[in-house]
Coordinates of all heavy atoms in Angstrom, one line a residue:
M1 N -1.7 -34.9 -27.0 CA -1.9 -34.7 -25.6 C -3.4 -34.7 -25.2 O -4.1 -34.0 -26.0 CB -1.2 -33.5 -25.1 CG -0.6 -33.4 -23.7 SD 0.0 -31.9 -23.1 CE 1.5 -31.7 -23.9
T2 N -3.8 -35.2 -24.2 CA -5.3 -35.2 -23.9 C -5.7 -33.7 -23.4 O -4.9 -33.1 -22.8 CB -5.6 -36.4 -22.9 OG1 -4.9 -36.1 -21.7 CG2 -5.1 -37.6 -23.5
P3 N -7.0 -33.6 -23.3 CA -7.4 -32.3 -22.7 C -7.1 -32.3 -21.3 O -6.8 -31.2 -20.7 CB -9.0 -32.3 -23.0 CG -9.1 -33.1 -24.1 CD -8.0 -34.2 -24.1
R4 N -7.3 -33.3 -20.6 CA -6.9 -33.4 -19.1 C -5.4 -33.1 -18.8 O -5.0 -32.3 -18.0 CB -7.1 -34.8 -18.5 CG -6.9 -34.8 -17.2 CD -7.4 -36.3 -16.6 NE -7.8 -36.2 -15.3 CZ -8.4 -36.9 -14.6 NH1 -8.9 -38.1 -15.3 NH2 -8.7 -36.9 -13.3
R5 N -4.6 -33.4 -19.7 CA -3.1 -33.1 -19.6 C -2.9 -31.7 -19.9 O -2.1 -31.0 -19.3 CB -2.3 -34.1 -20.7 CG -1.0 -33.8 -20.6 CD -0.3 -34.4 -19.2 NE 1.0 -34.4 -19.3 CZ 1.9 -34.4 -18.2 NH1 1.2 -34.8 -17.1 NH2 3.1 -34.2 -18.2
W6 N -3.6 -31.1 -20.8 CA -3.4 -29.7 -21.1 C -3.8 -28.8 -20.0 O -3.2 -27.9 -19.7 CB -4.3 -29.3 -22.3 CG -3.5 -29.5 -23.6 CD1 -3.9 -30.4 -24.5 CD2 -2.4 -28.8 -24.1 NE1 -2.9 -30.4 -25.7 CE2 -2.2 -29.3 -25.3 CE3 -1.8 -27.7 -23.7 CZ2 -1.1 -28.8 -26.1 CZ3 -0.7 -27.2 -24.5 CH2 -0.4 -27.8 -25.7
V7 N -4.9 -29.3 -19.3 CA -5.4 -28.5 -18.0 C -4.3 -28.6 -17.0 O -4.0 -27.7 -16.3 CB -6.7 -29.1 -17.5 CG1 -7.1 -28.6 -16.3 CG2 -7.9 -28.8 -18.6
R8 N -3.9 -29.8 -16.8 CA -2.6 -29.9 -15.9 C -1.4 -29.1 -16.2 O -0.9 -28.5 -15.2 CB -2.1 -31.3 -15.8 CG -3.2 -32.3 -15.0 CD -2.8 -33.6 -14.9 NE -3.1 -34.2 -13.6 CZ -2.5 -35.2 -13.0 NH1 -1.4 -35.8 -13.6 NH2 -2.8 -35.6 -11.9
V9 N -1.0 -29.0 -17.4 CA 0.1 -28.2 -17.8 C -0.2 -26.7 -17.6 O 0.6 -26.0 -17.0 CB 0.4 -28.4 -19.3 CG1 1.4 -27.4 -19.8 CG2 1.0 -29.8 -19.5
L10 N -1.4 -26.3 -17.9 CA -1.8 -24.8 -17.6 C -1.8 -24.5 -16.1 O -1.3 -23.5 -15.6 CB -3.2 -24.5 -18.3 CG -3.1 -24.5 -19.8 CD1 -4.5 -24.3 -20.4 CD2 -2.1 -23.5 -20.4
L11 N -2.4 -25.4 -15.3 CA -2.5 -25.2 -13.8 C -1.0 -25.2 -13.3 O -0.7 -24.4 -12.5 CB -3.3 -26.2 -13.1 CG -4.9 -26.1 -13.4 CD1 -5.6 -27.3 -12.8 CD2 -5.4 -24.9 -12.8
A12 N -0.1 -26.0 -13.8 CA 1.3 -26.1 -13.2 C 1.9 -24.8 -13.7 O 2.6 -24.3 -12.8 CB 1.9 -27.3 -13.8
A13 N 1.7 -24.3 -14.8 CA 2.3 -23.1 -15.3 C 1.8 -22.0 -14.5 O 2.6 -21.0 -14.0 CB 2.1 -22.8 -16.8
A14 N 0.5 -21.8 -14.2 CA 0.0 -20.8 -13.3 C 0.6 -20.9 -11.8 O 0.9 -19.8 -11.3 CB -1.5 -20.9 -13.3
C15 N 0.7 -22.1 -11.3 CA 1.3 -22.2 -10.0 C 2.7 -21.8 -9.9 O 3.2 -21.0 -9.2 CB 1.2 -23.7 -9.5 SG 1.9 -24.0 -8.0
F16 N 3.5 -22.2 -11.0 CA 4.8 -21.8 -11.1 C 5.1 -20.3 -11.2 O 5.8 -19.7 -10.4 CB 5.5 -22.6 -12.3 CG 6.9 -22.4 -12.5 CD1 7.9 -22.9 -11.8 CD2 7.3 -21.4 -13.5 CE1 9.2 -22.6 -12.0 CE2 8.6 -21.1 -13.7 CZ 9.6 -21.7 -12.9
A17 N 4.3 -19.7 -12.1 CA 4.4 -18.4 -12.3 C 4.0 -17.5 -11.1 O 4.7 -16.5 -10.8 CB 3.5 -17.8 -13.6
F18 N 2.9 -17.9 -10.5 CA 2.4 -17.1 -9.3 C 3.4 -17.1 -8.3 O 3.8 -16.0 -7.6 CB 1.0 -17.6 -8.9 CG 0.5 -17.0 -7.7 CD1 -0.1 -15.8 -7.6 CD2 0.7 -17.6 -6.3 CE1 -0.4 -15.1 -6.6 CE2 0.3 -17.0 -5.1 CZ -0.3 -15.8 -5.3
F19 N 3.9 -18.3 -7.9 CA 4.8 -18.3 -6.7 C 6.1 -17.7 -7.0 O 6.8 -17.1 -6.1 CB 4.8 -19.7 -6.1 CG 3.6 -20.1 -5.2 CD1 2.6 -20.9 -5.8 CD2 3.3 -19.6 -4.0 CE1 1.5 -21.3 -5.0 CE2 2.3 -19.9 -3.3 CZ 1.4 -20.7 -3.7
L20 N 6.7 -17.9 -8.1 CA 7.9 -17.2 -8.5 C 7.9 -15.8 -8.6 O 8.9 -15.1 -8.2 CB 8.5 -17.9 -9.7 CG 9.6 -19.1 -9.4 CD1 9.1 -20.1 -8.4 CD2 10.3 -19.4 -10.5
I21 N 6.8 -15.3 -9.2 CA 6.7 -13.9 -9.2 C 6.5 -13.3 -7.8 O 7.1 -12.2 -7.4 CB 5.4 -13.5 -10.1 CG1 5.9 -13.6 -11.5 CG2 5.1 -11.9 -9.9 CD1 4.6 -13.6 -12.5
Y22 N 5.6 -14.1 -6.9 CA 5.6 -13.7 -5.5 C 6.9 -13.7 -4.8 O 7.3 -12.8 -4.0 CB 4.5 -14.4 -4.8 CG 4.0 -13.9 -3.5 CD1 3.7 -12.7 -3.4 CD2 3.8 -14.9 -2.5 CE1 3.3 -12.2 -2.0 CE2 3.3 -14.5 -1.2 CZ 3.0 -13.1 -1.1 OH 2.7 -12.6 0.2
S23 N 7.6 -14.7 -5.1 CA 9.0 -14.9 -4.5 C 9.8 -13.6 -5.0 O 10.7 -13.2 -4.2 CB 9.7 -16.2 -4.9 OG 11.1 -16.2 -4.6
L24 N 9.8 -13.2 -6.1 CA 10.5 -12.1 -6.6 C 10.2 -10.8 -5.9 O 11.0 -10.0 -5.6 CB 10.4 -12.0 -8.2 CG 11.2 -10.9 -8.9 CD1 12.7 -11.2 -8.8 CD2 10.7 -10.9 -10.3
F25 N 8.9 -10.7 -5.7 CA 8.3 -9.5 -5.0 C 8.9 -9.5 -3.6 O 9.4 -8.4 -3.1 CB 6.8 -9.6 -5.0 CG 6.0 -8.6 -4.1 CD1 6.1 -7.2 -4.7 CD2 5.5 -8.9 -3.0 CE1 5.5 -6.1 -3.9 CE2 4.9 -7.9 -2.2 CZ 5.0 -6.5 -2.6
V26 N 8.7 -10.6 -2.8 CA 9.3 -10.6 -1.5 C 10.7 -10.4 -1.4 O 11.1 -9.7 -0.6 CB 8.9 -12.0 -0.8 CG1 9.4 -12.2 0.6 CG2 7.3 -12.1 -0.6
G27 N 11.5 -11.1 -2.3 CA 13.0 -10.8 -2.3 C 13.2 -9.4 -2.6 O 14.2 -8.7 -2.0
G28 N 12.4 -8.7 -3.5 CA 12.6 -7.2 -3.8 C 12.4 -6.4 -2.7 O 13.0 -5.3 -2.4
M29 N 11.4 -6.9 -1.8 CA 11.0 -6.0 -0.7 C 12.2 -6.0 0.4 O 12.1 -5.0 1.2 CB 9.8 -6.4 0.1 CG 8.5 -6.3 -1.0 SD 8.2 -4.5 -1.2 CE 7.7 -3.9 0.4
T30 N 13.1 -7.0 0.3 CA 14.2 -7.0 1.3 C 15.2 -5.8 1.0 O 16.0 -5.5 1.9 CB 14.8 -8.3 1.2 OG1 15.5 -8.5 -0.1 CG2 14.1 -9.4 1.5
G31 N 15.1 -5.4 -0.3 CA 16.0 -4.2 -0.6 C 15.6 -2.9 0.0 O 16.3 -1.9 0.0
W32 N 14.4 -2.8 0.6 CA 13.9 -1.5 1.1 C 14.5 -1.4 2.5 O 13.9 -2.0 3.2 CB 12.4 -1.4 0.9 CG 11.9 -1.3 -0.4 CD1 11.7 -2.3 -1.3 CD2 11.6 -0.2 -1.1 NE1 11.3 -1.8 -2.5 CE2 11.0 -0.5 -2.3 CE3 11.6 1.3 -0.7 CZ2 10.8 0.5 -3.4 CZ3 11.3 2.1 -1.7 CH2 10.8 1.8 -2.9
S33 N 15.5 -0.8 2.8 CA 16.1 -0.7 4.1 C 16.8 0.6 4.3 O 17.3 1.2 3.2 CB 17.0 -1.9 4.3 OG 17.6 -1.7 5.5
F34 N 16.9 1.2 5.4 CA 17.7 2.4 5.5 C 19.1 2.1 6.1 O 19.8 3.0 6.2 CB 16.9 3.2 6.7 CG 15.6 3.9 6.4 CD1 14.5 3.4 6.9 CD2 15.5 4.7 5.3 CE1 13.2 3.9 6.6 CE2 14.4 5.3 5.0 CZ 13.3 5.0 5.6
L35 N 19.4 0.8 6.2 CA 20.7 0.4 6.4 C 21.7 0.4 5.2 O 21.1 0.1 4.1 CB 20.8 -1.1 7.0 CG 20.0 -1.3 8.4 CD1 19.9 -2.6 8.8 CD2 20.6 -0.4 9.5
E36 N 22.8 0.7 5.4 CA 23.8 0.6 4.3 C 24.0 -0.8 4.0 O 24.0 -1.7 4.8 CB 25.1 1.3 4.7 CG 25.2 2.7 5.0 CD 24.9 3.5 3.7 OE1 25.4 3.1 2.7 OE2 24.1 4.5 3.7
P37 N 24.3 -1.1 2.7 CA 24.6 -2.4 2.3 C 25.8 -3.1 3.1 O 26.9 -2.4 3.2 CB 24.9 -2.4 0.8 CG 24.3 -1.1 0.4 CD 24.3 -0.2 1.6
G38 N 25.5 -4.3 3.5 CA 26.6 -5.0 4.4 C 26.0 -6.1 5.2 O 24.9 -6.3 5.0
P39 N 26.9 -6.6 6.1 CA 26.3 -7.8 6.9 C 25.0 -7.3 7.7 O 24.1 -8.2 8.0 CB 27.5 -8.0 7.8 CG 28.6 -7.5 7.1 CD 28.2 -6.4 6.3
A40 N 24.9 -6.1 8.2 CA 23.9 -5.7 9.1 C 22.5 -5.7 8.3 O 21.5 -6.2 8.8 CB 24.0 -4.3 9.7
R41 N 22.6 -5.3 7.0 CA 21.5 -5.3 6.1 C 21.1 -6.7 5.6 O 19.9 -6.9 5.5 CB 21.7 -4.5 4.8 CG 20.5 -4.2 4.1 CD 20.9 -3.2 2.9 NE 19.8 -3.1 2.1 CZ 19.9 -2.3 1.0 NH1 21.0 -1.5 0.7 NH2 18.9 -2.3 0.1
L42 N 22.0 -7.6 5.5 CA 21.8 -9.0 5.1 C 21.0 -9.6 6.3 O 20.1 -10.3 6.2 CB 23.0 -9.7 4.9 CG 22.9 -11.2 4.6 CD1 22.1 -11.3 3.2 CD2 24.1 -11.8 4.3
R43 N 21.5 -9.3 7.6 CA 20.8 -9.8 8.9 C 19.3 -9.3 8.9 O 18.4 -10.0 9.3 CB 21.6 -9.5 10.1 CG 22.7 -10.6 10.4 CD 23.3 -10.2 11.8 NE 23.8 -8.9 12.0 CZ 24.9 -8.4 11.7 NH1 25.8 -9.1 11.2 NH2 25.2 -7.1 11.9
D44 N 19.2 -8.0 8.6 CA 17.8 -7.5 8.6 C 16.9 -8.1 7.6 O 15.6 -8.1 7.9 CB 18.0 -6.0 8.3 CG 16.7 -5.2 8.6 OD1 16.1 -5.5 9.6 OD2 16.5 -4.4 7.9
S45 N 17.5 -8.5 6.4 CA 16.6 -9.0 5.5 C 16.5 -10.5 5.3 O 16.0 -11.0 4.4 CB 17.0 -8.4 4.1 OG 18.3 -8.8 3.7
A46 N 17.2 -11.2 6.2 CA 17.3 -12.7 6.2 C 15.9 -13.3 6.1 O 15.7 -14.2 5.5 CB 18.1 -13.2 7.4
G47 N 15.0 -12.8 7.0 CA 13.7 -13.4 7.0 C 13.0 -13.3 5.6 O 12.4 -14.3 5.3
G48 N 13.1 -12.2 5.0 CA 12.3 -12.2 3.7 C 13.1 -12.9 2.7 O 12.3 -13.5 1.8
L49 N 14.4 -13.2 2.8 CA 15.1 -14.1 1.9 C 14.7 -15.5 2.0 O 14.5 -16.2 1.1 CB 16.6 -13.9 2.0 CG 17.1 -12.4 1.6 CD1 18.6 -12.3 2.0 CD2 16.8 -12.1 0.0
V50 N 14.4 -15.8 3.3 CA 14.0 -17.2 3.6 C 12.7 -17.6 3.0 O 12.2 -18.5 2.3 CB 14.1 -17.6 5.0 CG1 13.5 -18.8 5.5 CG2 15.6 -17.6 5.5
I51 N 11.7 -16.5 3.2 CA 10.4 -16.5 2.8 C 10.4 -16.6 1.3 O 9.7 -17.5 0.5 CB 9.5 -15.4 3.2 CG1 9.3 -15.6 4.7 CG2 8.2 -15.3 2.4 CD1 8.7 -14.4 5.4
A52 N 11.3 -15.9 0.5 CA 11.3 -16.0 -0.9 C 11.8 -17.4 -1.3 O 11.3 -17.9 -2.4 CB 12.4 -14.8 -1.5
A53 N 12.8 -17.9 -0.7 CA 13.1 -19.2 -1.0 C 12.1 -20.2 -0.8 O 11.8 -21.1 -1.7 CB 14.4 -19.6 -0.2
I54 N 11.3 -20.2 0.2 CA 10.2 -21.1 0.5 C 9.1 -20.9 -0.6 O 8.6 -21.9 -1.1 CB 9.7 -20.8 1.9 CG1 10.6 -21.3 2.9 CG2 8.3 -21.5 2.0 CD1 10.4 -21.0 4.3
L55 N 8.8 -19.6 -0.9 CA 7.7 -19.4 -2.1 C 8.3 -20.0 -3.3 O 7.4 -20.6 -4.1 CB 7.6 -17.9 -2.1 CG 6.8 -17.3 -1.1 CD1 6.7 -15.8 -1.1 CD2 5.3 -17.9 -1.1
G56 N 9.6 -19.9 -3.8 CA 10.1 -20.6 -4.9 C 10.0 -22.0 -4.8 O 9.6 -22.7 -5.8
L57 N 10.2 -22.8 -3.7 CA 10.1 -24.1 -3.5 C 8.6 -24.5 -3.7 O 8.4 -25.6 -4.3 CB 10.6 -24.6 -2.2 CG 12.1 -24.6 -2.0 CD1 12.6 -24.8 -0.5 CD2 12.8 -25.4 -2.9
I58 N 7.8 -23.8 -3.1 CA 6.3 -24.0 -3.2 C 5.9 -24.0 -4.7 O 5.2 -24.9 -5.2 CB 5.6 -23.2 -2.4 CG1 5.6 -23.4 -0.9 CG2 4.0 -23.3 -2.7 CD1 5.0 -22.3 -0.1
G59 N 6.4 -23.0 -5.6 CA 6.0 -22.9 -6.9 C 6.5 -24.0 -7.8 O 5.8 -24.5 -8.5
I60 N 7.8 -24.4 -7.6 CA 8.3 -25.4 -8.4 C 7.9 -26.7 -7.9 O 7.4 -27.6 -8.7 CB 9.9 -25.3 -8.2 CG1 10.4 -24.2 -8.9 CG2 10.5 -26.6 -8.9 CD1 11.9 -23.9 -8.6
G61 N 7.7 -27.0 -6.7 CA 7.2 -28.3 -6.1 C 5.8 -28.4 -6.4 O 5.3 -29.6 -6.8
G62 N 5.0 -27.4 -6.3 CA 3.5 -27.5 -6.8 C 3.4 -27.7 -8.2 O 2.5 -28.5 -8.4
A63 N 4.1 -27.1 -9.1 CA 3.9 -27.6 -10.4 C 4.4 -28.9 -10.8 O 3.7 -29.5 -11.6 CB 4.8 -26.4 -11.2
R64 N 5.4 -29.4 -10.1 CA 5.8 -30.8 -10.3 C 4.7 -31.7 -9.8 O 4.4 -32.8 -10.5 CB 7.1 -31.1 -9.6 CG 8.2 -30.3 -10.4 CD 9.6 -30.7 -9.8 NE 9.9 -32.1 -9.9 CZ 10.4 -32.6 -11.0 NH1 10.6 -31.9 -12.1 NH2 10.6 -33.9 -11.0
L65 N 4.1 -31.4 -8.7 CA 3.1 -32.3 -8.2 C 1.9 -32.2 -9.1 O 1.1 -33.3 -9.2 CB 2.7 -31.9 -6.7 CG 3.8 -32.3 -5.7 CD1 3.4 -31.7 -4.3 CD2 4.0 -33.9 -5.5
I66 N 1.5 -31.1 -9.5 CA 0.2 -31.0 -10.5 C 0.5 -31.8 -11.6 O -0.5 -32.5 -12.2 CB 0.0 -29.6 -10.7 CG1 -0.5 -28.8 -9.6 CG2 -1.1 -29.5 -11.9 CD1 -0.7 -27.2 -9.7
L67 N 1.8 -31.9 -12.2 CA 2.1 -32.6 -13.4 C 2.2 -34.1 -13.1 O 2.3 -34.9 -14.1 CB 3.2 -32.1 -14.1 CG 3.1 -30.7 -14.6 CD1 4.6 -30.2 -15.1 CD2 2.2 -30.8 -15.8
G68 N 2.1 -34.4 -11.9 CA 2.4 -35.9 -11.5 C 3.9 -36.3 -11.5 O 4.1 -37.6 -11.6
W69 N 4.8 -35.5 -11.5 CA 6.1 -35.8 -11.5 C 6.6 -35.9 -9.9 O 6.0 -35.4 -9.1 CB 7.0 -34.8 -12.2 CG 6.7 -34.7 -13.6 CD1 6.1 -35.5 -14.4 CD2 7.1 -33.6 -14.5 NE1 6.0 -35.1 -15.7 CE2 6.6 -34.0 -15.8 CE3 7.7 -32.4 -14.3 CZ2 6.7 -33.1 -16.8 CZ3 7.9 -31.5 -15.3 CH2 7.4 -31.9 -16.7
R70 N 7.7 -36.6 -9.7 CA 8.3 -36.7 -8.4 C 8.7 -35.4 -8.0 O 9.1 -34.6 -8.7 CB 9.4 -37.8 -8.2 CG 10.6 -37.4 -9.0 CD 11.6 -38.6 -8.9 NE 12.8 -38.2 -9.7 CZ 13.8 -37.7 -9.3 NH1 13.9 -37.4 -8.1 NH2 14.8 -37.4 -10.2
L71 N 8.4 -35.1 -6.5 CA 8.6 -33.9 -6.1 C 10.2 -33.5 -5.8 O 10.6 -32.5 -6.2 CB 7.9 -33.8 -4.6 CG 8.2 -32.5 -3.8 CD1 7.7 -31.2 -4.5 CD2 7.6 -32.6 -2.5
L72 N 10.9 -34.5 -5.2 CA 12.3 -34.2 -4.9 C 13.1 -34.4 -6.3 O 13.2 -35.5 -6.7 CB 12.9 -35.1 -4.0 CG 12.1 -35.0 -2.6 CD1 12.8 -35.9 -1.5 CD2 12.4 -33.5 -2.0
S73 N 13.7 -33.4 -6.7 CA 14.6 -33.4 -7.9 C 15.5 -32.2 -7.9 O 15.3 -31.3 -7.2 CB 13.7 -33.4 -9.1 OG 13.3 -32.1 -9.4
P74 N 16.6 -32.2 -8.7 CA 17.5 -31.1 -8.9 C 16.7 -29.8 -9.3 O 17.2 -28.8 -9.1 CB 18.5 -31.6 -9.8 CG 18.4 -33.0 -9.9 CD 17.0 -33.4 -9.5
W75 N 15.6 -29.9 -9.8 CA 14.9 -28.8 -10.4 C 14.4 -27.7 -9.2 O 14.2 -26.6 -9.3 CB 13.5 -29.1 -11.1 CG 13.9 -29.7 -12.5 CD1 13.9 -31.0 -12.9 CD2 14.2 -28.9 -13.6 NE1 14.2 -31.1 -14.1 CE2 14.6 -29.7 -14.6 CE3 14.4 -27.5 -13.9 CZ2 14.8 -29.3 -16.0 CZ3 14.7 -27.1 -15.2 CH2 14.8 -27.9 -16.1
L76 N 14.4 -28.3 -8.0 CA 14.0 -27.5 -6.9 C 15.1 -26.4 -6.5 O 14.8 -25.4 -5.9 CB 13.9 -28.2 -5.7 CG 12.6 -29.1 -5.6 CD1 12.5 -30.1 -4.3 CD2 11.3 -28.3 -5.6
L77 N 16.4 -26.7 -7.1 CA 17.5 -25.6 -7.0 C 17.1 -24.4 -7.7 O 17.7 -23.3 -7.5 CB 18.8 -26.2 -7.5 CG 19.3 -27.4 -6.6 CD1 20.4 -28.0 -7.3 CD2 19.5 -26.8 -5.2
L78 N 16.2 -24.4 -8.6 CA 15.8 -23.1 -9.3 C 15.1 -22.2 -8.3 O 14.9 -21.0 -8.8 CB 14.8 -23.5 -10.5 CG 15.6 -24.2 -11.7 CD1 14.5 -24.5 -12.8 CD2 16.6 -23.3 -12.3
A79 N 14.7 -22.6 -7.2 CA 14.1 -21.6 -6.3 C 15.2 -20.7 -5.6 O 14.8 -19.7 -5.0 CB 13.3 -22.3 -5.1
L80 N 16.3 -21.1 -5.6 CA 17.5 -20.4 -5.0 C 18.0 -19.1 -5.6 O 18.6 -18.2 -4.9 CB 18.5 -21.4 -4.4 CG 18.1 -22.5 -3.8 CD1 19.3 -23.4 -3.3 CD2 17.4 -22.0 -2.4
P81 N 18.1 -19.0 -6.9 CA 18.7 -17.8 -7.5 C 18.1 -16.5 -7.1 O 18.9 -15.5 -6.9 CB 18.5 -18.1 -9.1 CG 18.5 -19.5 -9.2 CD 17.8 -20.0 -8.0
I82 N 16.8 -16.4 -6.9 CA 16.1 -15.2 -6.5 C 16.7 -14.7 -5.2 O 17.2 -13.6 -5.0 CB 14.6 -15.1 -6.6 CG1 14.1 -15.4 -8.1 CG2 14.0 -14.1 -5.9 CD1 12.7 -15.7 -8.2
P83 N 16.5 -15.5 -4.1 CA 17.1 -15.1 -2.8 C 18.5 -14.9 -2.8 O 19.1 -14.0 -2.1 CB 16.5 -16.2 -1.8 CG 16.0 -17.2 -2.5 CD 15.8 -16.8 -4.0
I84 N 19.3 -15.7 -3.5 CA 20.8 -15.5 -3.5 C 21.1 -14.2 -4.2 O 22.0 -13.4 -3.6 CB 21.4 -16.6 -4.3 CG1 21.4 -17.9 -3.4 CG2 22.9 -16.4 -4.7 CD1 21.7 -19.2 -4.1
L85 N 20.4 -13.9 -5.3 CA 20.8 -12.6 -5.8 C 20.4 -11.3 -5.0 O 21.2 -10.3 -4.8 CB 20.2 -12.4 -7.2 CG 20.7 -13.3 -8.3 CD1 19.8 -13.4 -9.6 CD2 22.1 -12.9 -8.7
F86 N 19.3 -11.5 -4.4 CA 18.9 -10.3 -3.4 C 19.8 -10.3 -2.1 O 20.0 -9.2 -1.5 CB 17.5 -10.4 -3.0 CG 16.6 -9.9 -4.2 CD1 15.7 -10.7 -4.9 CD2 16.5 -8.5 -4.6 CE1 15.0 -10.3 -6.0 CE2 15.7 -8.1 -5.5 CZ 14.9 -8.9 -6.3
G87 N 20.3 -11.5 -1.8 CA 21.3 -11.4 -0.7 C 22.5 -10.9 -1.1 O 23.2 -10.1 -0.3
I88 N 23.0 -11.1 -2.3 CA 24.2 -10.4 -2.8 C 24.0 -9.0 -2.8 O 24.9 -8.2 -2.5 CB 24.7 -11.0 -4.1 CG1 25.1 -12.5 -4.0 CG2 25.7 -10.2 -4.8 CD1 25.3 -13.2 -5.2
D89 N 22.8 -8.5 -3.3 CA 22.4 -7.2 -3.2 C 22.5 -6.5 -1.9 O 23.0 -5.3 -1.7 CB 21.2 -6.9 -4.0 CG 20.7 -5.5 -4.1 OD1 21.8 -4.8 -4.6 OD2 19.7 -5.1 -3.7
A90 N 22.0 -7.2 -0.9 CA 21.9 -6.7 0.5 C 23.4 -6.6 1.1 O 23.6 -5.6 1.8 CB 21.2 -7.6 1.3
L91 N 24.3 -7.3 0.6 CA 25.6 -7.3 1.1 C 26.4 -6.1 0.3 O 27.5 -5.7 0.8 CB 26.4 -8.7 0.8 CG 26.2 -9.7 1.8 CD1 26.8 -10.9 1.3 CD2 26.7 -9.3 3.1
G92 N 25.9 -5.6 -0.8 CA 26.5 -4.5 -1.4 C 27.6 -5.1 -2.4 O 28.3 -4.3 -3.0
L93 N 27.5 -6.5 -2.8 CA 28.5 -7.0 -3.7 C 28.0 -6.8 -5.2 O 28.8 -7.1 -6.1 CB 28.7 -8.3 -3.4 CG 29.3 -8.7 -2.0 CD1 29.3 -10.1 -1.7 CD2 30.5 -7.9 -1.8
W94 N 26.9 -6.4 -5.4 CA 26.3 -6.2 -6.8 C 26.6 -4.9 -7.4 O 26.2 -3.9 -6.9 CB 24.8 -6.6 -6.8 CG 24.1 -6.6 -8.1 CD1 24.0 -5.7 -8.8 CD2 23.6 -7.8 -8.6 NE1 23.3 -6.1 -10.1 CE2 23.0 -7.3 -9.9 CE3 23.5 -9.2 -8.3 CZ2 22.5 -8.2 -10.8 CZ3 22.9 -10.0 -9.2 CH2 22.4 -9.5 -10.5

């Protein structure tokens, strides 16, 4: 692997880690509510869950673009588990 490729891999890993950790942070902030778990709490935290999903998409998409791979792929689905799990938690099903 060339040095240029190593730099790209390290930058892609940094982009991926930063945005997915930030997505986890934003998703976790949706759990801070005075409402009881249920549909009302899910509605209250919907905006944060959408932002968490977008941050995950940015992290995965940015890493793929830095590496020179095509943007649209099934790997983008990895952005969804964080908001889905926090949505389940907001519903009180966890």
Side-chain angles (χ1 to χ4, degrees):
M1 214 187 283
T2 64
R4 184 178 207 162
R5 183 72 179 162
W6 276 108
V7 170
R8 285 182 142 202
V9 167
L10 290 175
L11 286 174
C15 175
F16 178 79
F18 174 78
F19 282 104
L20 256 60
I21 289 171
Y22 194 40
S23 171
L24 187 65
F25 174 74
V26 171
M29 293 301 288
T30 61
W32 291 86
S33 177
F34 291 113
L35 297 173
E36 290 294 320
R41 186 169 175 183
L42 182 63
R43 277 191 303 275
D44 188 45
S45 62
L49 296 174
V50 169
I51 292 171
I54 290 171
L55 288 170
L57 288 172
I58 290 171
I60 294 169
R64 290 185 62 80
L65 287 177
I66 290 170
L67 290 172
W69 298 342
R70 62 186 177 93
L71 177 64
L72 297 178
S73 76
W75 285 101
L76 291 176
L77 292 174
L78 287 176
L80 298 179
I82 292 172
I84 288 173
L85 289 175
F86 282 110
I88 290 171
D89 182 53
L91 282 173
L93 300 176
W94 185 292

